Amino acid sequence: MPSNDARILLHTAVPSAAVGAIATVVSGVVAGGKGAIGAVVGTLVVILFMGIGQLVLQRTAKSLPHLFQAMGLMLYTAQLLVLFIFLALLKNTTLFDFKAFAFTLLATTVVWVAAQARAYMKAKITYIDPGNTGPKS
């Protein structure tokens, strides 16, 4: 993984994990042990789904750069749909507190997307190939 990609992944995963840790503590205080478990599961789901999506997007950018924007939009839509499916499937679970899970899922998703946008804006990614000077005469 190139250093820009690793840096962007790091700059998105760390704030999301921090929000997940805060949500775990708050959920543990408010809803007890099941709340803390729900917050941990929510954090892991977001970091796993969004991290895999980031890796897929980076591979797409390398192999099919002309599809990068369309793939990004499709990927984010698919990720949100999968998160909603997770919410629907786990709605009546007794393994953990569902509200803590749902609020943590929402908070970490928002933080992930915001941190990812910030990381891309701060990254110094060249978009012009310096080796390509134009058509040969």
Side-chain angles (χ1 to χ4, degrees), residues 122-135:
K122 294 283 188 178
K124 305 247 190 281
I125 300 171
T126 58
Y127 55 90
I128 298 172
D129 185 8
N132 187 5
T133 58

Side-chain angles (χ1 to χ4, degrees), residues 11-21 43 46-47 50 107-113 115:
H11 285 225
T12 54
V14 170
S16 299
V19 167
T43 302
V46 168
I47 290 175
M50 297 296 192
T108 51
T109 299
V110 168
V111 168
W112 182 282
V113 171

Side-chain angles (χ1 to χ4, degrees), residues 89-120:
L89 289 175
L90 297 174
K91 186 175 185 179
N92 297 320
T93 187
T94 57
L95 297 173
F96 50 79
D97 185 52
F98 180 74
K99 286 184 181 180
F101 170 74
F103 284 122
T104 303
L105 197 73
L106 177 67
T108 51
T109 299
V110 168
V111 168
W112 182 282
V113 171
Q116 188 177 31
R118 183 180 187 278
Y120 272 112

Side-chain angles (χ1 to χ4, degrees), residues 12-135:
T12 54
V14 170
S16 299
V19 167
I22 292 167
T24 301
V25 170
V26 170
S27 297
V29 169
V30 172
K34 286 195 173 198
I37 292 171
V40 167
V41 171
T43 302
L44 291 177
V45 165
V46 168
I47 290 175
L48 182 69
F49 280 0
M50 297 296 192
I52 290 171
Q54 181 74 25
L55 293 173
V56 167
L57 196 59
Q58 289 167 356
R59 287 186 183 237
T60 301
K62 287 182 190 117
S63 60
L64 303 166
H66 58 284
L67 293 178
F68 179 70
Q69 187 174 16
M71 182 67 173
L73 291 171
M74 191 275 310
L75 181 68
Y76 288 130
T77 303
Q79 285 174 332
L80 290 177
L81 286 174
V82 170
L83 290 177
F84 283 132
I85 290 169
F86 247 86
L87 286 173
L89 289 175
L90 297 174
K91 186 175 185 179
N92 297 320
T93 187
T94 57
L95 297 173
F96 50 79
D97 185 52
F98 180 74
K99 286 184 181 180
F101 170 74
F103 284 122
T104 303
L105 197 73
L106 177 67
T108 51
T109 299
V110 168
V111 168
W112 182 282
V113 171
Q116 188 177 31
R118 183 180 187 278
Y120 272 112
M121 286 190 302
K122 294 283 188 178
K124 305 247 190 281
I125 300 171
T126 58
Y127 55 90
I128 298 172
D129 185 8
N132 187 5
T133 58

